Amino acid sequence: MSAGEQWAGDRSRPEAELREGRVVSHLGQGLAVEDDRGEVVICHTRRQLGAVAVGDRVLWSTADRQQGRVERILPRRSVLTRPAHGGRIRPVAANLDQIVIVVAPEPEPDWLLVDQYTAACEHRGLGVVIAVNKQERIADRARVEQTLSVYRRIGYTCLLLSAHTGDGLPHLREALKQRCSMLAGQSGVGKSSLTNSLLPGRNLRTRELSDKAGLGRHTTTAAMLYHLPEGGDLIDSPGVAVFGLAEMTAADVAGGYREFREWLPQCQFNDCRHLGDKGCAILAAVEAGRVDAGRYERFRKLLAKMHLA
Ligand code: GDP
Ligand code: ZN
């Protein structure tokens, strides 16, 4: 039974009007909430509710015919956060299943950023897919394959594709099916191009929602949840370059390197920082070729970048 049905049975209480829905966008002052039949209603929110994120499942009430009000945020399966003004942390997207990390031959891939994303995803319990876009532009294919093999060996799905030629897109569609995903990566790697290829009705939907919210035609929104034609959802959140690391400790980062996990219990000291400490099992595994030296090097850099080393 959905929460909506549960309340619908009891008309004597104010909650009787509560219905379940999913936040599909922030639009100006309002939230676009989609009900279980796919109808979108513009809702405002109670101030004391806290930050509502795209992808949130919510209970909303019908204040009047035009507008609803979000009354409650239902428990989240996952939440992705980013740092905001004044040292605060804001939710970017809720109830995601996985992140597709997009890289390309140009701009030059930043594997430290890739590892930053994988660590954050592991910490948040999110799946990871690594997609190399603009594959028709790759000059040194062997080198790319070698880098990807490191990620494949530790269990990440890696795809080579092209938004321009359409190569590999069926594999991406397959990876997105029945899941809620978001694309992440440096600017210029082709995230918008891929999103447009995946979502033929994207502009229509954006226009429909802005119209409903009484906003102009050219409004760009912070984030939007789209339904993929093959099933599954894609949250498009332009401008989210950094996420997930804000609340992580050095131990969380080490745990975010999934290939470290089997070695971590074997470090001599419980508080081992894996930075050359005596009896470190991670370092021993790197020296024995059991853990990729490049990933370990980036682990050290990531800690330094986060001021944790
Ligand atoms: P975003 O910043 O990650 O959203 O990247 P965009 O989608 O805006 O793409 C950046 C540039 O890369 C644009 O000039 C695109 O036309 C180009 N681009 C995107 N996908 C491909 C591709 O598969 N092959 C090539 N050659 N160029 C692409
Ligand atoms: Zn160690």
Side-chain angles (χ1 to χ4, degrees), residues 102 104-107 132-137 161-167 184-197:
V102 185
E106 65 226 2
V132 183
N133 187 36
K134 311 190 193 183
Q135 67 106 21
E136 82 281 6
R137 291 283 187 92
L161 38 89
S162 168
H164 279 191
T165 67
D167 283 335
Q186 285 165 274
S187 156
V189 293
K191 297 180 298 297
S192 336
S193 310
L194 287 169
T195 305
N196 286 328
S197 309

mmCIF file of all heavy atoms in Angstrom, residues 102 104-107 132-137 161-167 184-197, ligand 1:
data_model
loop_
_atom_site.group_PDB
_atom_site.id
_atom_site.type_symbol
_atom_site.label_atom_id
_atom_site.label_comp_id
_atom_site.label_asym_id
_atom_site.label_seq_id
_atom_site.Cartn_x
_atom_site.Cartn_y
_atom_site.Cartn_z
ATOM 1 N N VAL A 102 31.419 10.718 -16.657
ATOM 2 C CA VAL A 102 31.744 10.897 -18.071
ATOM 3 C C VAL A 102 33.140 11.518 -18.206
ATOM 4 O O VAL A 102 33.442 12.527 -17.554
ATOM 5 C CB VAL A 102 30.691 11.781 -18.782
ATOM 6 C CG1 VAL A 102 30.978 11.851 -20.277
ATOM 7 C CG2 VAL A 102 29.281 11.250 -18.541
ATOM 8 N N ALA A 104 36.350 12.120 -21.448
ATOM 9 C CA ALA A 104 36.501 12.196 -22.904
ATOM 10 C C ALA A 104 37.971 12.424 -23.220
ATOM 11 O O ALA A 104 38.730 12.854 -22.347
ATOM 12 C CB ALA A 104 35.653 13.337 -23.463
ATOM 13 N N PRO A 105 38.383 12.134 -24.460
ATOM 14 C CA PRO A 105 39.777 12.434 -24.823
ATOM 15 C C PRO A 105 40.095 13.922 -24.698
ATOM 16 O O PRO A 105 41.230 14.301 -24.426
ATOM 17 C CB PRO A 105 39.891 11.960 -26.279
ATOM 18 C CG PRO A 105 38.517 11.637 -26.736
ATOM 19 C CD PRO A 105 37.672 11.431 -25.535
ATOM 20 N N GLU A 106 39.082 14.765 -24.899
ATOM 21 C CA GLU A 106 39.278 16.187 -24.636
ATOM 22 C C GLU A 106 38.015 16.751 -24.003
ATOM 23 O O GLU A 106 36.919 16.399 -24.467
ATOM 24 C CB GLU A 106 39.665 16.918 -25.931
ATOM 25 C CG GLU A 106 38.603 16.911 -26.923
ATOM 26 C CD GLU A 106 38.847 16.593 -28.362
ATOM 27 O OE1 GLU A 106 39.968 16.281 -28.781
ATOM 28 O OE2 GLU A 106 37.849 16.641 -29.062
ATOM 29 N N PRO A 107 38.104 17.499 -22.935
ATOM 30 C CA PRO A 107 39.341 17.856 -22.217
ATOM 31 C C PRO A 107 40.048 16.624 -21.637
ATOM 32 O O PRO A 107 39.389 15.658 -21.290
ATOM 33 C CB PRO A 107 38.826 18.759 -21.088
ATOM 34 C CG PRO A 107 37.399 18.354 -20.886
ATOM 35 C CD PRO A 107 36.906 17.960 -22.233
ATOM 36 N N VAL A 132 33.394 6.709 -21.384
ATOM 37 C CA VAL A 132 34.331 7.527 -22.166
ATOM 38 C C VAL A 132 33.594 7.991 -23.413
ATOM 39 O O VAL A 132 33.317 7.205 -24.315
ATOM 40 C CB VAL A 132 35.597 6.736 -22.552
ATOM 41 C CG1 VAL A 132 36.572 7.643 -23.309
ATOM 42 C CG2 VAL A 132 36.263 6.138 -21.319
ATOM 43 N N ASN A 133 33.244 9.275 -23.430
ATOM 44 C CA ASN A 133 32.519 9.837 -24.577
ATOM 45 C C ASN A 133 33.523 10.310 -25.642
ATOM 46 O O ASN A 133 34.725 10.345 -25.391
ATOM 47 C CB ASN A 133 31.647 10.999 -24.094
ATOM 48 C CG ASN A 133 30.733 11.535 -25.181
ATOM 49 O OD1 ASN A 133 30.216 10.781 -26.012
ATOM 50 N ND2 ASN A 133 30.531 12.840 -25.201
ATOM 51 N N LYS A 134 33.033 10.683 -26.805
ATOM 52 C CA LYS A 134 33.853 11.134 -27.945
ATOM 53 C C LYS A 134 34.849 10.047 -28.329
ATOM 54 O O LYS A 134 36.012 10.339 -28.623
ATOM 55 C CB LYS A 134 34.621 12.433 -27.619
ATOM 56 C CG LYS A 134 33.760 13.539 -27.016
ATOM 57 C CD LYS A 134 34.517 14.852 -26.948
ATOM 58 C CE LYS A 134 33.785 15.854 -26.053
ATOM 59 N NZ LYS A 134 34.394 17.167 -25.988
ATOM 60 N N GLN A 135 34.423 8.799 -28.275
ATOM 61 C CA GLN A 135 35.361 7.698 -28.474
ATOM 62 C C GLN A 135 35.981 7.722 -29.866
ATOM 63 O O GLN A 135 37.086 7.228 -30.056
ATOM 64 C CB GLN A 135 34.683 6.355 -28.181
ATOM 65 C CG GLN A 135 33.586 5.957 -29.132
ATOM 66 C CD GLN A 135 34.033 4.848 -30.061
ATOM 67 O OE1 GLN A 135 34.974 4.138 -29.778
ATOM 68 N NE2 GLN A 135 33.339 4.717 -31.184
ATOM 69 N N GLU A 136 35.290 8.357 -30.831
ATOM 70 C CA GLU A 136 35.867 8.424 -32.195
ATOM 71 C C GLU A 136 37.079 9.360 -32.246
ATOM 72 O O GLU A 136 37.811 9.376 -33.227
ATOM 73 C CB GLU A 136 34.780 8.850 -33.203
ATOM 74 C CG GLU A 136 34.499 10.349 -33.307
ATOM 75 C CD GLU A 136 33.623 10.901 -32.176
ATOM 76 O OE1 GLU A 136 33.310 10.148 -31.223
ATOM 77 O OE2 GLU A 136 33.264 12.086 -32.231
ATOM 78 N N ARG A 137 37.293 10.119 -31.170
ATOM 79 C CA ARG A 137 38.429 11.053 -31.118
ATOM 80 C C ARG A 137 39.639 10.493 -30.366
ATOM 81 O O ARG A 137 40.643 11.180 -30.200
ATOM 82 C CB ARG A 137 38.003 12.349 -30.415
ATOM 83 C CG ARG A 137 37.034 13.187 -31.196
ATOM 84 C CD ARG A 137 37.776 13.944 -32.309
ATOM 85 N NE ARG A 137 36.896 14.885 -32.962
ATOM 86 C CZ ARG A 137 36.765 16.156 -32.588
ATOM 87 N NH1 ARG A 137 37.453 16.632 -31.595
ATOM 88 N NH2 ARG A 137 35.924 16.945 -33.234
ATOM 89 N N LEU A 161 31.802 5.382 -25.814
ATOM 90 C CA LEU A 161 30.655 5.789 -26.611
ATOM 91 C C LEU A 161 30.861 7.144 -27.270
ATOM 92 O O LEU A 161 31.892 7.789 -27.090
ATOM 93 C CB LEU A 161 29.380 5.792 -25.758
ATOM 94 C CG LEU A 161 29.464 6.259 -24.303
ATOM 95 C CD1 LEU A 161 29.238 7.738 -24.214
ATOM 96 C CD2 LEU A 161 28.466 5.511 -23.474
ATOM 97 N N SER A 162 29.880 7.520 -28.064
ATOM 98 C CA SER A 162 29.947 8.809 -28.731
ATOM 99 C C SER A 162 28.546 9.381 -28.894
ATOM 100 O O SER A 162 27.686 8.753 -29.511
ATOM 101 C CB SER A 162 30.605 8.664 -30.111
ATOM 102 O OG SER A 162 30.419 9.864 -30.849
ATOM 103 N N ALA A 163 28.356 10.559 -28.335
ATOM 104 C CA ALA A 163 27.064 11.239 -28.507
ATOM 105 C C ALA A 163 26.889 11.653 -29.962
ATOM 106 O O ALA A 163 25.779 11.736 -30.464
ATOM 107 C CB ALA A 163 26.985 12.458 -27.592
ATOM 108 N N HIS A 164 28.000 11.881 -30.664
ATOM 109 C CA HIS A 164 27.923 12.340 -32.048
ATOM 110 C C HIS A 164 27.621 11.227 -33.036
ATOM 111 O O HIS A 164 26.760 11.377 -33.881
ATOM 112 C CB HIS A 164 29.220 13.069 -32.448
ATOM 113 C CG HIS A 164 29.229 14.495 -31.978
ATOM 114 N ND1 HIS A 164 30.159 15.413 -32.394
ATOM 115 C CD2 HIS A 164 28.411 15.148 -31.111
ATOM 116 C CE1 HIS A 164 29.916 16.586 -31.807
ATOM 117 N NE2 HIS A 164 28.874 16.446 -31.026
ATOM 118 N N THR A 165 28.336 10.094 -32.915
ATOM 119 C CA THR A 165 28.105 9.008 -33.874
ATOM 120 C C THR A 165 27.040 8.017 -33.388
ATOM 121 O O THR A 165 26.527 7.233 -34.178
ATOM 122 C CB THR A 165 29.400 8.210 -34.136
ATOM 123 O OG1 THR A 165 29.756 7.515 -32.928
ATOM 124 C CG2 THR A 165 30.549 9.122 -34.548
ATOM 125 N N GLY A 166 26.744 8.050 -32.089
ATOM 126 C CA GLY A 166 25.763 7.113 -31.545
ATOM 127 C C GLY A 166 26.367 5.779 -31.134
ATOM 128 O O GLY A 166 25.682 4.934 -30.548
ATOM 129 N N ASP A 167 27.659 5.609 -31.379
ATOM 130 C CA ASP A 167 28.336 4.366 -30.974
ATOM 131 C C ASP A 167 28.218 4.153 -29.466
ATOM 132 O O ASP A 167 28.467 5.076 -28.699
ATOM 133 C CB ASP A 167 29.850 4.433 -31.312
ATOM 134 C CG ASP A 167 30.096 4.211 -32.783
ATOM 135 O OD1 ASP A 167 29.247 3.566 -33.426
ATOM 136 O OD2 ASP A 167 31.135 4.682 -33.288
ATOM 137 N N ALA A 184 27.909 12.810 -14.362
ATOM 138 C CA ALA A 184 28.827 13.741 -13.712
ATOM 139 C C ALA A 184 30.127 13.760 -14.492
ATOM 140 O O ALA A 184 30.465 12.794 -15.169
ATOM 141 C CB ALA A 184 29.084 13.299 -12.270
ATOM 142 N N GLY A 185 30.835 14.860 -14.412
ATOM 143 C CA GLY A 185 32.130 14.933 -15.087
ATOM 144 C C GLY A 185 32.495 16.366 -15.405
ATOM 145 O O GLY A 185 31.666 17.272 -15.278
ATOM 146 N N GLN A 186 33.742 16.551 -15.833
ATOM 147 C CA GLN A 186 34.243 17.886 -16.176
ATOM 148 C C GLN A 186 33.348 18.537 -17.219
ATOM 149 O O GLN A 186 32.732 17.833 -18.033
ATOM 150 C CB GLN A 186 35.621 17.778 -16.818
ATOM 151 C CG GLN A 186 36.763 17.480 -15.909
ATOM 152 C CD GLN A 186 37.969 17.047 -16.748
ATOM 153 O OE1 GLN A 186 38.110 15.885 -17.077
ATOM 154 N NE2 GLN A 186 38.822 17.993 -17.099
ATOM 155 N N SER A 187 33.375 19.845 -17.253
ATOM 156 C CA SER A 187 32.655 20.565 -18.282
ATOM 157 C C SER A 187 33.318 20.291 -19.639
ATOM 158 O O SER A 187 34.543 20.192 -19.731
ATOM 159 C CB SER A 187 32.703 22.051 -17.910
ATOM 160 O OG SER A 187 32.529 22.826 -19.040
ATOM 161 N N GLY A 188 32.511 20.100 -20.672
ATOM 162 C CA GLY A 188 33.040 19.886 -22.013
ATOM 163 C C GLY A 188 33.194 18.433 -22.432
ATOM 164 O O GLY A 188 33.530 18.151 -23.580
ATOM 165 N N VAL A 189 32.933 17.488 -21.517
ATOM 166 C CA VAL A 189 33.086 16.066 -21.873
ATOM 167 C C VAL A 189 31.907 15.537 -22.685
ATOM 168 O O VAL A 189 31.990 14.479 -23.293
ATOM 169 C CB VAL A 189 33.312 15.172 -20.630
ATOM 170 C CG1 VAL A 189 34.653 15.472 -19.977
ATOM 171 C CG2 VAL A 189 32.172 15.300 -19.630
ATOM 172 N N GLY A 190 30.787 16.286 -22.677
ATOM 173 C CA GLY A 190 29.642 15.883 -23.493
ATOM 174 C C GLY A 190 28.423 15.418 -22.719
ATOM 175 O O GLY A 190 27.577 14.702 -23.264
ATOM 176 N N LYS A 191 28.276 15.880 -21.479
ATOM 177 C CA LYS A 191 27.128 15.460 -20.666
ATOM 178 C C LYS A 191 25.806 15.929 -21.271
ATOM 179 O O LYS A 191 24.853 15.155 -21.364
ATOM 180 C CB LYS A 191 27.270 15.971 -19.225
ATOM 181 C CG LYS A 191 28.462 15.404 -18.494
ATOM 182 C CD LYS A 191 28.572 15.921 -17.081
ATOM 183 C CE LYS A 191 28.756 17.425 -16.987
ATOM 184 N NZ LYS A 191 30.016 17.916 -17.601
ATOM 185 N N SER A 192 25.758 17.199 -21.686
ATOM 186 C CA SER A 192 24.488 17.690 -22.273
ATOM 187 C C SER A 192 24.204 16.993 -23.583
ATOM 188 O O SER A 192 23.052 16.667 -23.879
ATOM 189 C CB SER A 192 24.495 19.191 -22.514
ATOM 190 O OG SER A 192 25.396 19.829 -21.704
ATOM 191 N N SER A 193 25.246 16.762 -24.393
ATOM 192 C CA SER A 193 25.043 16.066 -25.665
ATOM 193 C C SER A 193 24.494 14.662 -25.428
ATOM 194 O O SER A 193 23.572 14.219 -26.120
ATOM 195 C CB SER A 193 26.351 15.965 -26.434
ATOM 196 O OG SER A 193 26.976 17.227 -26.511
ATOM 197 N N LEU A 194 25.040 13.968 -24.442
ATOM 198 C CA LEU A 194 24.560 12.618 -24.133
ATOM 199 C C LEU A 194 23.117 12.664 -23.625
ATOM 200 O O LEU A 194 22.280 11.854 -24.017
ATOM 201 C CB LEU A 194 25.459 11.945 -23.091
ATOM 202 C CG LEU A 194 26.835 11.491 -23.592
ATOM 203 C CD1 LEU A 194 27.736 11.085 -22.425
ATOM 204 C CD2 LEU A 194 26.687 10.316 -24.568
ATOM 205 N N THR A 195 22.844 13.640 -22.743
ATOM 206 C CA THR A 195 21.495 13.779 -22.199
ATOM 207 C C THR A 195 20.493 14.003 -23.331
ATOM 208 O O THR A 195 19.425 13.399 -23.346
ATOM 209 C CB THR A 195 21.448 14.942 -21.187
ATOM 210 O OG1 THR A 195 22.443 14.711 -20.201
ATOM 211 C CG2 THR A 195 20.095 15.041 -20.514
ATOM 212 N N ASN A 196 20.857 14.857 -24.297
ATOM 213 C CA ASN A 196 19.960 15.103 -25.432
ATOM 214 C C ASN A 196 19.741 13.848 -26.265
ATOM 215 O O ASN A 196 18.627 13.603 -26.735
ATOM 216 C CB ASN A 196 20.509 16.223 -26.311
ATOM 217 C CG ASN A 196 20.329 17.579 -25.647
ATOM 218 O OD1 ASN A 196 19.363 17.788 -24.907
ATOM 219 N ND2 ASN A 196 21.242 18.489 -25.882
ATOM 220 N N SER A 197 20.797 13.051 -26.450
ATOM 221 C CA SER A 197 20.636 11.806 -27.208
ATOM 222 C C SER A 197 19.743 10.818 -26.469
ATOM 223 O O SER A 197 18.976 10.077 -27.086
ATOM 224 C CB SER A 197 21.987 11.125 -27.434
ATOM 225 O OG SER A 197 22.915 12.026 -27.956
HETATM 226 P P1 GDP B 1 29.142 19.204 -21.139
HETATM 227 O O1 GDP B 1 29.800 20.479 -20.717
HETATM 228 O O2 GDP B 1 29.760 18.032 -20.429
HETATM 229 O O3 GDP B 1 27.659 19.227 -21.019
HETATM 230 O O4 GDP B 1 29.533 18.988 -22.675
HETATM 231 P P2 GDP B 1 28.668 19.340 -23.998
HETATM 232 O O5 GDP B 1 27.598 18.337 -24.216
HETATM 233 O O6 GDP B 1 28.281 20.769 -23.951
HETATM 234 O O7 GDP B 1 29.772 19.093 -25.126
HETATM 235 C C1 GDP B 1 30.982 19.831 -25.191
HETATM 236 C C2 GDP B 1 31.498 19.797 -26.617
HETATM 237 O O8 GDP B 1 31.842 18.476 -26.996
HETATM 238 C C3 GDP B 1 30.477 20.288 -27.656
HETATM 239 O O9 GDP B 1 31.150 21.045 -28.616
HETATM 240 C C4 GDP B 1 29.938 19.002 -28.238
HETATM 241 O O10 GDP B 1 29.475 19.157 -29.567
HETATM 242 C C5 GDP B 1 31.158 18.109 -28.199
HETATM 243 N N1 GDP B 1 30.805 16.670 -28.127
HETATM 244 C C6 GDP B 1 29.882 16.086 -27.331
HETATM 245 N N2 GDP B 1 29.823 14.755 -27.568
HETATM 246 C C7 GDP B 1 30.724 14.494 -28.532
HETATM 247 C C8 GDP B 1 31.151 13.293 -29.217
HETATM 248 O O11 GDP B 1 30.661 12.187 -28.963
HETATM 249 N N3 GDP B 1 32.133 13.428 -30.143
HETATM 250 C C9 GDP B 1 32.713 14.634 -30.422
HETATM 251 N N4 GDP B 1 33.669 14.662 -31.357
HETATM 252 N N5 GDP B 1 32.341 15.781 -29.819
HETATM 253 C C10 GDP B 1 31.361 15.712 -28.885
#
